[in-house]
Amino acid sequence: MDFDLFVIGGGSAGVRCARIAAGHGARVGVAEERHWGGTCVNIGCVPKKLLVQAGEYGAWADDAIGFGWTIQKDSHDWGKLIAAKDREIGRLEGIYRKLLTGAGATVFDGRAVFVDPHTVEIAGKRITAENIVIATGGYPERLDIPGADLGIVSDDAFFLKTMPRHIVMVGSGYIAVEFAGIFRALGAEVHLVYRQPLPLRGFDQDIRESMAEALLAQGIILHPGATPEKLEAAGDRRVLSIGGGRTLTTDLVFFATGRRANVGGLGLEKAGVALNAKNAIQVDDQLRTSQPHIYAMGDVTDRVNLTPVATAEGHALADSLFGDNPRTVSLRNIPSAVFTTPPVASVGLTEEQASALGPVDIYLTRFTPMRHNLSGRGRKTTMKLVVDKATQKVVGAHMLGEDAAEIIQGIAIAVVMGATKADFDRTIGIHPTAAEEFVTLRTRTRTTDLAKAAE
Ligand code: NDP
């Protein structure tokens, strides 16, 4: 065999797995056909956050007036922002490639396709490996409606030559609300079209309600309960039919309607690797596919599609195979954030999920952050703890408000450790912060027991 481990895909999961395995002394090869670092570094989390930050500066300039500043704000230069973003992403991509070669892995710039269960082919060259990892990620999917190709997806959004003045976002998941916030903060008129009554299905109900309010407060126009039917061109403009005879005419339609596992054209049938009902690679808790020496991890398995999960899986597999440290990654209590303005972050169970298991005490607070009493910006913070009534363990923490992601990361440690409400209560706050609210929530808002209600 040419390698002990061959990794297909140089994204978050693949790079970590290859790098750690090489560090353990394994002979490792990695193939990447597009960009090192994968979706997160190139067309996902990292450039997205830079665009979010670009939007925040504009709002801060407005808010500063309430603090005595006189600020002259000119229009935003999208081209300059994208050029700066491209320079930074180029730098990071180089670092990811170097991390691999520095660790002693052999990198292949090209597409790897299975020829048989131990052999892949890259640009006509055959390579054999004892173990193979599939970490090919996912891709954004348009809705299956006539004219969908006239719209864009997140891959395209990072390379727009100019920023359209009028944008329709389709969907209300992570990507839809994040990009709605970005474009609005940079000055566009933004419409959010979604089929649910509230955005962010799957998040806690109070957070979803607060998110709808926050989007409206930002000036985003919401179209709940809408079903896109077709997309047509009218010269340079686009006309989206959203049901009930309603249409929206816009410069740009952006589909943020979910992602699919990237399994096409890999020769998986030749490798004997099976897919599941979601057309993603089926794995067990050791990340093993239906072929025991072939593993899959990250978005290509379509379980929890988050970068830190992918990197944790890559690290765990490398340690298990070559580091004499067999271990798995728990998919419970994974914190995550939505980088809207303000952001949302949560860890653990929602009130709905937890109360379906048994009674829960809810502690909920909404307030205007101190800063905005002077800035005059109508922005509220929502914070919520979900506490198991029987054990008094905090089983969920949710926040919409400035710095939510930074705050919930710390709270997540307590939740993962099984902290109780009393542990939160005996923790002294840091004053004055928003975060201290999580340790000063004295009055129970309500007790919910969906399990009993369902009886
Ligand atoms: P999501 O699954 O979060 O949201 C998809 C959206 O598309 C939902 O609003 C969904 O509506 C809607 N949709 C799907 N199918 C249809 C349909 N046929 N008709 C109308 N609407 C439809 O996907 P995203 O594309 O936003 O993001 C993909 C994944 O990427 C996320 O799940 C997340 O794991 C990851 N991600 C994480 C980020 C972070 O951590 N900050 C940022 C960006 C992405 P409905 O709710 O009704 O199903």
Side-chain angles (χ1 to χ4, degrees), residues 152-167:
I152 68 159
V153 291
S154 57
D155 286 8
D156 312 312
F158 294 105
F159 305 102
L160 292 172
K161 293 278 174 271
T162 53
M163 199 195 72
R165 305 314 303 167
H166 190 293
I167 296 168

Side-chain angles (χ1 to χ4, degrees), residues 8-72:
I8 306 176
S12 303
V15 168
R16 177 66 69 92
C17 185
R19 191 161 68 80
I20 301 299
H24 287 315
R27 295 170 307 140
V28 179
V30 200
E32 167 57 47
E33 66 169 338
R34 201 167 167 201
H35 25 221
W36 294 96
T39 300
C40 175
V41 172
N42 295 276
I43 46 172
C45 332
V46 176
K48 178 273 309 288
K49 189 145 183 197
L50 293 174
L51 300 192
V52 170
Q53 288 169 340
E56 285 172 351
Y57 281 108
W60 284 343
D62 299 335
D63 291 355
I65 294 165
F67 288 81
W69 291 99
T70 305
I71 292 186
Q72 181 82 34

Side-chain angles (χ1 to χ4, degrees), residues 45 48 140-141 143-144 170-178 193-196 198 200-201 208 226-228 255-259 299 304-307 336-339:
C45 332
K48 178 273 309 288
E141 197 182 42
L143 284 189
D144 185 16
V170 182
S172 62
Y174 284 83
I175 296 178
V177 294
E178 287 180 342
V193 170
Y194 51 100
R195 59 185 175 182
Q196 303 295 331
L198 288 169
L200 288 181
R201 184 168 62 86
R208 295 178 70 192
T227 317
F255 290 103
T257 44
R259 293 177 62 89
D299 287 7
V304 182
N305 299 332
L306 297 171
T307 289
S336 78
V338 188
F339 290 96

Side-chain angles (χ1 to χ4, degrees), residues 77-261:
D77 185 338
W78 172 263
K80 197 169 170 184
L81 169 63
I82 294 300
K85 181 269 291 177
D86 287 344
R87 276 195 303 279
E88 174 60 4
I89 299 307
R91 186 183 76 83
L92 291 174
E93 199 205 358
I95 288 175
Y96 269 79
R97 204 172 191 285
K98 268 204 211 102
L99 278 175
L100 287 166
T101 50
T106 308
V107 300
F108 296 85
D109 293 281
R111 184 175 183 77
V113 179
F114 281 101
V115 178
D116 65 48
H118 279 286
T119 312
V120 295
E121 191 172 289
I122 306 169
K125 189 173 170 358
R126 293 199 168 190
I127 294 159
T128 54
E130 201 72 57
N131 301 283
I132 298 178
V133 164
I134 305 167
T136 48
Y139 60 91
E141 197 182 42
R142 288 174 170 76
L143 284 189
D144 185 16
I145 57 169
D149 284 343
L150 293 166
I152 68 159
V153 291
S154 57
D155 286 8
D156 312 312
F158 294 105
F159 305 102
L160 292 172
K161 293 278 174 271
T162 53
M163 199 195 72
R165 305 314 303 167
H166 190 293
I167 296 168
V168 172
M169 301 291 315
V170 182
S172 62
Y174 284 83
I175 296 178
V177 294
E178 287 180 342
F179 271 96
I182 290 167
F183 289 130
R184 179 69 197 135
L186 296 178
E189 177 175 326
V190 178
H191 293 249
L192 192 69
V193 170
Y194 51 100
R195 59 185 175 182
Q196 303 295 331
L198 288 169
L200 288 181
R201 184 168 62 86
F203 280 75
D204 189 273
Q205 181 76 8
D206 285 306
I207 295 295
R208 295 178 70 192
E209 286 170 12
S210 298
M211 172 54 77
E213 276 178 37
L215 291 168
L216 284 171
Q218 213 192 338
I220 293 165
I221 299 155
L222 304 184
H223 301 271
T227 317
E229 291 169 343
K230 64 176 174 182
L231 179 56
E232 293 166 302
D236 282 350
R237 306 207 82 202
R238 300 286 179 262
V239 182
L240 182 69
S241 305
I242 60 168
R246 291 175 299 163
T247 58
L248 291 170
T249 302
T250 184
D251 297 330
L252 181 81
V253 172
F254 183 147
F255 290 103
T257 44
R259 293 177 62 89
R260 290 249 166 219

